[in-house]
Amino acid sequence: MSEEWELNKSSSVPLHQQIYDYMKRRIMNGEWPVGTRIPAQRELAAKFQVNRSTVVYALGELSADGLIDSKVGQGTVVANNTWSLLAAASPPDWNRYVKSGSYQPNIQMIQQINQAEMNSNMVRLGTGELSPALLPTDKMKEMFHGSLENKFTLGYSEPKGSLYLRERISRYLHTKGIQASPSSILIVSGGLQGLQLISLGLLHSGSMIFVENPTYLNSIHVFQSAGMELFGIPMDHEGLRTESIGRLKRQHHAALLYTIPSFHNPTGGLMSSQRRAELLTVCTQERLPVIEDDVYGDLWFDTPPPSPLKAQDRQGLVLYMGSMSKTLGPGLRIGWIVGPEPVIDRLSDIKMQTDYGSSSLSQHAVAEWLSSGLYEEHLARIRTELKYRRDYTIAILVQHYHEFAEWNMPQGGFYIWLHILRPISMRKLFERALKEGILLNPGNIYDRHDQQHLRLSYAYASLDQLENGLIRLAELIRQNLQ
Amino acid sequence: MSEEWELNKSSSVPLHQQIYDYMKRRIMNGEWPVGTRIPAQRELAAKFQVNRSTVVYALGELSADGLIDSKVGQGTVVANNTWSLLAAASPPDWNRYVKSGSYQPNIQMIQQINQAEMNSNMVRLGTGELSPALLPTDKMKEMFHGSLENKFTLGYSEPKGSLYLRERISRYLHTKGIQASPSSILIVSGGLQGLQLISLGLLHSGSMIFVENPTYLNSIHVFQSAGMELFGIPMDHEGLRTESIGRLKRQHHAALLYTIPSFHNPTGGLMSSQRRAELLTVCTQERLPVIEDDVYGDLWFDTPPPSPLKAQDRQGLVLYMGSMSKTLGPGLRIGWIVGPEPVIDRLSDIKMQTDYGSSSLSQHAVAEWLSSGLYEEHLARIRTELKYRRDYTIAILVQHYHEFAEWNMPQGGFYIWLHILRPISMRKLFERALKEGILLNPGNIYDRHDQQHLRLSYAYASLDQLENGLIRLAELIRQNLQ
């Protein structure tokens, strides 16, 4: 449950006593109210890195005190905290509250991944982030030291976000062929929040959203938690296939189409210029608005991707999303949505009701990076690094995976969509790899029915980790082929 | 609609031509898609600061080009952007989308206030923020220049927020008598987001929430947009009245009680120690969880407020919320929720699904302020400043308001709840003051039925603005008494 408390193994206080004290404190403080489920003995033993017998001893003492109680089928729960006797009333039934919210919990595998990512020794072969070594931490510090005279504020920014930042994003978008005034741009706390605002602000429960199959959207619950449905449309080597969109739109009354044309998550694919034109044409004809997620677009290797859909959109059909999370640092939590001004006005109003805007420190930092040219310099550096990492990874795959897998050769972004050619239990593979400290992103996160793919990312792990992790993973896959 | 474009009055291009070019560009770019409503002539004239005839001329040209069209009852809308002819299809009906979202728009007066706040000349007599002059911008710059060696990251933080920050908040809460481990603390992007997570994660549509009447919660739509209902409970000079809570709880099956015990928003009131004990007792008996909003608690003048409800909560009944928005800077967007660990786990999972965590720059900054002692020094300074401002404001009220109004003497926080003793049209007063550049927060924002109060804040406006604004406001009130 908690990640920060640790046993003091050099203390003279016995380990079981330390565990007893720790758990009793949690119970007496109300941090673990009556009714809270205590983790299983083996989980606790793993967490504290002690023998199971030590845990059993500590739990026995708590039980003897009447503080916890084991019930068949319910596991061990907090039964009493002595205060509850004084108050002559049990606490609120938090378990019921936790199950009441409209928001679905994260899918279990994602929760496991989130947990495992807190372990800094984990070899993360699928993580969709830049390696900490590629993030420009020192330069960021220099930047804060530098030219802050005029624009720095600790107050709230404008409803659509700092005007200074939106002006810089407007210029930056101009280099991609997108004409957007600052008032058609909304600053958001990352792409995920952008999607949430669209879900809350523009769609109603029951709306259908067309997506690529597989898609990043299946790994999050933004639309599903609001009662919306995703409908997967197949892809080929040029990207989303467009020929059936018209028919499907009329059949299913789709409200939106979501696409990642450049360096797709999870497949790494790149939509061709021709396909982009076809997609825009059919969506215009069908009056089907498009969310264009372009968070990887700056991360090309040899040539820039074809220009965004938004650059050709004269009708105001496309809501375009960009972000600093994949390039400058996810911790900044800064992204943007570009769209027709009445739509941006609506999303901005909801943003104000949701969190009163994004961090002014982060907004200032991004504006400075864009206006100083530091951002372009940084992009040039990480393009080179990522390309090197791609080649390094592909070389390992060629040597160790050719017998049982196929893959794409990404032209940018983070991802290789590894296709395992023979039947395998992905769940087992995931669990076994995790036990050995290797964290995977199985394909079923992005397509519920998928059992044959892994999303590999060459962006996060160190080169050593990539090499050792991928070689070990190849062995694990061979052992688990059915 | 847009806030950034300005006419160039020294240009040789005629003003009507500049307006024509600007609007045509917006239409041709798709920023104003076909169907977008163009603001009324007088709004445009005010926005561009030109004569109405100039606007009429520009609109006439756009109309002659066929780009806009005036229809009775609909006003003027974009009719065509020449691209729509080529595409032989009209754009998606964005107006329908904008009306589809489940989230309610902000109440109109709040939208007007948000808009007016972008005008930096506005005298803001009700704004619930520290004056920019009281925010420690220079010290923040120094801090970033200083000791950043180890803890600074541009990557994602842990699901509950940076552990380094949560440890510091745990120690800071200890000084208030609250025992909370870092794993029982969730970092949020300000108190408003904390409320949204509770709404999404713990409650279902139809839940009833008890609140003080009037309450801050009426000014936002977090719970109402999710289909929940607020039920106001009266207050007296000791705070929320507790005698009817038990009966009402059973009658209405309330799911939560929300309170601001210290320096209440909007009334400035302080719940007595005795009343806090009574409230905790009745809520324990009734198993009614409490949200304790303590964002103003550090802003006391002569003596600290009684200890928080959470400090006496041994059952895990209270969800406690704090924030840096009212003390260190709202632009940081950093707050926290403290509660039973299973509840915090659930809220943390939703936070990860909502925005992947708060800005790491902001989290780092807050941790440094807490651990260096700078935060305590800063608090000491703003307590003195706010007390001076309170006295200054009260002196003006005594001189100019005693004939027609009553008020409280706040012992901390930002607010005076001005009670106008004779009937008045608040809507008219609000509009007339706005015309003169004075922005007010009328009582009906906090209690829909209220027609007799203004929330005054002595925190935001400069001393000169407070003096001149309040004197002018007294005159306006006198003129509008019925």
Side-chain angles (χ1 to χ4, degrees):
Chain A
M1 293 172 105
S2 108
E3 72 270 28
E4 82 289 347
W5 185 78
E6 284 180 6
L7 282 173
N8 181 351
K9 297 209 172 173
S10 57
S11 159
S12 64
V13 180
L15 296 179
H16 65 83
Q17 183 69 35
Q18 291 186 45
I19 294 173
Y20 169 88
D21 290 342
Y22 162 80
M23 295 181 79
K24 183 166 177 179
R25 204 164 52 239
R26 291 308 189 82
I27 293 168
M28 299 303 280
N29 283 345
E31 293 185 90
W32 291 358
V34 172
T36 300
R37 204 186 69 84
I38 305 288
Q41 293 172 0
R42 68 187 145 64
E43 277 179 64
L44 289 170
K47 174 181 153 67
F48 297 133
Q49 300 180 291
V50 295
N51 292 328
R52 194 154 157 183
S53 60
T54 309
V55 168
V56 170
Y57 195 97
L59 292 176
E61 301 267 290
L62 290 165
S63 182
D65 291 353
L67 296 178
I68 63 170
D69 197 7
S70 298
K71 280 180 192 159
V72 178
Q74 285 186 40
T76 303
V77 295
V78 176
N80 176 4
N81 64 3
T82 76
W83 304 103
S84 49
L85 295 178
L86 295 176
S90 50
D93 184 359
W94 283 117
N95 291 329
R96 189 170 55 82
Y97 281 88
V98 163
K99 286 175 189 144
S100 283
S102 65
Y103 230 76
Q104 300 171 16
N106 243 322
I107 58 178
Q108 202 211 339
M109 194 175 269
I110 296 272
Q111 289 197 33
Q112 265 181 297
I113 291 173
N114 287 344
Q115 278 298 318
E117 286 177 349
M118 298 200 308
N119 176 350
S120 57
N121 297 320
M122 198 59 71
V123 174
R124 293 157 63 171
L125 296 182
T127 296
E129 299 167 39
L130 285 180
S131 163
L134 299 181
L135 297 176
T137 313
D138 289 336
K139 279 239 168 59
M140 186 61 79
K141 279 155 61 176
E142 282 170 36
M143 190 283 296
F144 266 98
H145 183 196
S147 59
L148 292 177
E149 297 317 320
N150 302 316
K151 302 123 191 172
F152 193 68
T153 173
L154 289 171
Y156 289 112
S157 51
E158 295 87 350
K160 292 180 186 172
S162 145
L163 177 56
Y164 178 61
L165 173 58
R166 285 182 288 127
E167 284 168 354
R168 263 117 210 106
I169 289 173
S170 173
R171 285 181 214 167
Y172 155 80
L173 291 172
H174 192 74
T175 66
K176 297 181 188 290
I178 295 172
Q179 313 297 328
S181 321
S183 56
S184 300
I185 298 172
L186 175 66
I187 305 300
V188 292
S189 302
L192 181 60
Q193 189 187 47
L195 295 172
Q196 211 206 11
L197 296 174
I198 291 170
S199 162
L200 293 172
L202 301 181
L203 301 171
H204 52 73
S205 178
S207 295
M208 177 167 283
I209 296 161
F210 285 174
V211 294
E212 284 134 353
N213 191 33
T215 178
Y216 163 66
L217 279 199
N218 277 322
S219 73
I220 56 177
H221 276 165
V222 172
F223 293 105
Q224 297 93 318
S225 275
M228 293 150 203
E229 211 179 317
L230 306 186
F231 186 96
I233 294 187
M235 290 190 283
D236 62 22
H237 65 285
E238 286 196 74
L240 191 63
R241 292 177 60 168
T242 54
E243 66 271 19
S244 56
I245 289 176
R247 179 176 53 77
L248 291 169
K249 159 72 166 44
R250 276 161 275 147
Q251 196 172 331
H252 296 285
H253 305 288
L256 268 181
L257 181 142
Y258 170 85
T259 178
I260 310 174
S262 295
F263 318 127
H264 180 256
N265 180 4
T267 67
L270 178 64
M271 194 186 289
S272 68
S273 181
Q274 164 92 17
R275 188 62 59 83
R276 287 171 198 236
E278 286 166 16
L279 180 61
L280 201 60
T281 301
V282 65
C283 289
T284 301
Q285 279 166 359
E286 300 294 336
R287 305 181 74 196
L288 179 62
V290 175
I291 303 177
E292 178 177 27
D293 187 341
D294 196 27
V295 299
Y296 302 98
D298 283 339
L299 300 172
W300 46 270
F301 298 151
D302 299 310
T303 49
S307 67
L309 298 168
K310 186 66 186 165
Q312 311 303 327
D313 171 32
R314 299 283 175 265
Q315 298 271 17
L317 187 79
V318 177
L319 303 180
Y320 175 89
M321 295 185 16
S323 168
M324 285 290 165
S325 295
K326 304 300 177 186
T327 53
L328 195 54
L332 292 166
R333 312 307 308 123
I334 295 294
W336 44 90
I337 310 181
V338 181
E341 195 168 330
V343 176
I344 294 300
D345 286 344
R346 163 75 170 154
L347 298 178
S348 154
D349 182 49
I350 296 167
K351 165 98 173 142
M352 284 296 277
Q353 294 189 59
T354 301
D355 66 2
Y356 285 135
S358 300
S359 161
S360 59
L361 289 181
S362 289
Q363 292 190 69
H364 173 76
V366 171
E368 287 293 312
W369 276 75
L370 285 172
S371 67
S372 63
L374 276 175
Y375 182 65
E376 272 305 322
E377 280 173 34
H378 171 69
L379 282 181
R381 187 172 78 87
I382 56 172
R383 278 178 199 135
T384 310
E385 295 262 11
L386 284 172
K387 185 180 174 187
Y388 181 83
R389 285 165 160 268
R390 177 201 64 181
D391 293 341
Y392 187 87
T393 302
I394 293 283
I396 297 166
L397 296 182
V398 168
Q399 201 181 338
H400 299 274
Y401 285 70
H402 68 274
E403 282 171 25
F404 57 82
E406 286 175 351
W407 53 86
N408 59 312
M409 180 75 170
Q411 303 304 306
F414 293 170
Y415 305 120
I416 293 171
W417 188 233
L418 187 76
H419 181 195
I420 298 168
L421 298 169
R422 285 159 52 197
I424 187 166
S425 161
M426 276 292 169
R427 182 84 224 173
K428 260 192 209 154
L429 182 68
F430 175 81
E431 298 285 358
R432 290 198 185 156
L434 193 60
K435 250 186 206 152
E436 301 197 11
I438 297 174
L439 184 60
L440 300 177
N441 285 45
N444 67 334
I445 295 175
Y446 310 99
D447 169 5
R448 189 150 58 92
H449 303 295
D450 186 277
Q451 285 299 330
Q452 299 297 128
H453 290 86
L454 286 172
R455 184 185 84 173
L456 297 180
S457 161
Y458 42 82
Y460 191 83
S462 69
L463 295 179
D464 273 0
Q465 287 178 326
L466 277 175
E467 179 166 5
N468 299 328
L470 285 170
I471 291 174
R472 179 64 190 139
L473 176 62
E475 287 165 20
L476 289 175
I477 293 176
R478 267 197 218 94
Q479 289 164 13
N480 283 281
L481 288 174
Q482 285 161 351
Chain B
M1 293 173 104
S2 106
E3 73 270 29
E4 83 291 346
W5 184 79
E6 283 180 6
L7 282 174
N8 182 351
K9 297 208 173 173
S10 57
S11 159
S12 64
V13 180
L15 296 178
H16 66 82
Q17 182 70 34
Q18 291 186 45
I19 294 173
Y20 169 88
D21 290 342
Y22 161 80
M23 296 181 78
K24 181 166 179 180
R25 204 164 53 238
R26 290 308 189 80
I27 293 168
M28 300 302 281
N29 283 345
E31 295 185 271
W32 291 359
V34 172
T36 300
R37 203 186 71 83
I38 304 288
Q41 293 172 0
R42 67 187 146 64
E43 278 178 63
L44 289 171
K47 175 181 152 66
F48 298 132
Q49 301 181 289
V50 295
N51 290 327
R52 192 154 158 182
S53 60
T54 309
V55 168
V56 170
Y57 195 97
L59 292 175
E61 300 267 289
L62 289 165
S63 182
D65 291 353
L67 295 178
I68 63 171
D69 197 7
S70 298
K71 281 180 189 158
V72 177
Q74 285 185 40
T76 303
V77 296
V78 176
N80 175 6
N81 64 3
T82 75
W83 306 102
S84 49
L85 295 178
L86 295 176
S90 50
D93 185 358
W94 283 116
N95 291 329
R96 189 170 55 82
Y97 282 86
V98 162
K99 285 177 191 145
S100 282
S102 66
Y103 229 75
Q104 301 171 15
N106 243 323
I107 58 179
Q108 201 211 340
M109 194 176 269
I110 297 273
Q111 289 197 32
Q112 262 181 298
I113 290 173
N114 287 344
Q115 278 296 318
E117 286 177 349
M118 299 200 309
N119 176 351
S120 56
N121 297 321
M122 197 59 72
V123 173
R124 293 157 64 170
L125 295 181
T127 295
E129 300 168 39
L130 286 180
S131 162
L134 299 180
L135 297 176
T137 313
D138 289 335
K139 280 239 167 57
M140 185 62 79
K141 279 155 60 176
E142 281 169 38
M143 190 282 297
F144 268 97
H145 183 198
S147 58
L148 291 178
E149 296 318 318
N150 302 315
K151 302 121 191 170
F152 193 67
T153 173
L154 288 171
Y156 288 112
S157 51
E158 296 87 350
K160 292 181 187 172
S162 146
L163 177 57
Y164 178 62
L165 173 58
R166 285 182 289 129
E167 284 167 353
R168 262 117 211 106
I169 289 174
S170 173
R171 284 181 214 169
Y172 155 81
L173 292 173
H174 192 74
T175 66
K176 295 180 189 291
I178 296 173
Q179 313 298 328
S181 322
S183 55
S184 300
I185 299 171
L186 174 66
I187 305 300
V188 293
S189 303
L192 181 59
Q193 189 187 48
L195 295 172
Q196 211 208 9
L197 295 175
I198 290 170
S199 163
L200 293 172
L202 302 180
L203 301 172
H204 51 74
S205 178
S207 296
M208 177 167 283
I209 296 161
F210 285 173
V211 293
E212 285 134 352
N213 190 33
T215 179
Y216 163 64
L217 281 198
N218 278 322
S219 72
I220 55 178
H221 276 166
V222 172
F223 293 105
Q224 297 93 316
S225 275
M228 292 150 204
E229 211 179 315
L230 306 186
F231 186 97
I233 293 185
M235 290 189 284
D236 62 21
H237 65 285
E238 288 195 73
L240 191 61
R241 292 178 60 167
T242 55
E243 66 272 18
S244 55
I245 288 177
R247 179 178 52 78
L248 291 169
K249 158 73 167 42
R250 275 161 276 148
Q251 197 172 332
H252 296 285
H253 306 288
L256 270 181
L257 181 142
Y258 170 86
T259 178
I260 309 174
S262 296
F263 318 128
H264 180 256
N265 179 4
T267 67
L270 178 64
M271 194 185 290
S272 68
S273 181
Q274 165 90 17
R275 188 62 60 82
R276 287 172 198 234
E278 287 166 17
L279 180 61
L280 202 59
T281 300
V282 66
C283 289
T284 302
Q285 278 165 0
E286 300 294 336
R287 305 181 74 195
L288 179 61
V290 175
I291 303 177
E292 179 178 25
D293 187 342
D294 196 26
V295 300
Y296 301 98
D298 283 339
L299 299 173
W300 46 270
F301 299 151
D302 298 311
T303 50
S307 66
L309 298 169
K310 185 69 187 165
Q312 311 302 327
D313 171 31
R314 299 284 175 266
Q315 298 270 19
L317 188 78
V318 178
L319 303 180
Y320 175 88
M321 296 187 15
S323 167
M324 286 289 166
S325 296
K326 304 301 178 186
T327 53
L328 195 53
L332 292 167
R333 309 310 307 124
I334 295 294
W336 44 90
I337 310 181
V338 181
E341 196 169 329
V343 176
I344 295 299
D345 286 344
R346 163 76 170 153
L347 299 178
S348 155
D349 181 50
I350 297 167
K351 165 98 173 141
M352 284 297 277
Q353 294 187 60
T354 302
D355 67 2
Y356 285 134
S358 298
S359 162
S360 59
L361 289 180
S362 289
Q363 292 191 67
H364 172 77
V366 171
E368 288 292 313
W369 276 75
L370 284 173
S371 67
S372 63
L374 276 174
Y375 182 65
E376 272 305 321
E377 280 173 35
H378 171 68
L379 283 181
R381 187 171 77 87
I382 56 172
R383 278 176 199 136
T384 310
E385 295 262 11
L386 284 172
K387 186 180 172 188
Y388 181 83
R389 285 166 160 267
R390 177 200 64 179
D391 292 340
Y392 188 88
T393 303
I394 293 284
I396 297 166
L397 295 183
V398 168
Q399 200 180 341
H400 298 274
Y401 286 70
H402 68 275
E403 282 171 28
F404 56 81
E406 286 175 350
W407 52 86
N408 58 314
M409 180 73 170
Q411 303 304 306
F414 293 170
Y415 306 119
I416 293 170
W417 189 233
L418 188 77
H419 182 195
I420 297 168
L421 298 169
R422 283 159 54 196
I424 188 167
S425 161
M426 277 291 170
R427 182 85 226 174
K428 260 192 209 155
L429 182 67
F430 175 82
E431 300 285 358
R432 290 202 183 152
L434 193 60
K435 250 187 207 151
E436 300 197 13
I438 297 174
L439 184 59
L440 301 176
N441 286 45
N444 67 332
I445 295 175
Y446 311 99
D447 169 6
R448 188 150 57 93
H449 303 295
D450 186 277
Q451 285 298 330
Q452 298 296 130
H453 291 86
L454 287 172
R455 184 185 84 174
L456 297 180
S457 160
Y458 42 83
Y460 189 83
S462 70
L463 295 178
D464 273 1
Q465 287 180 325
L466 276 174
E467 180 167 3
N468 299 328
L470 285 170
I471 291 174
R472 179 64 190 139
L473 176 62
E475 287 166 21
L476 289 174
I477 293 175
R478 265 196 220 95
Q479 289 165 13
N480 283 281
L481 289 174
Q482 286 162 350

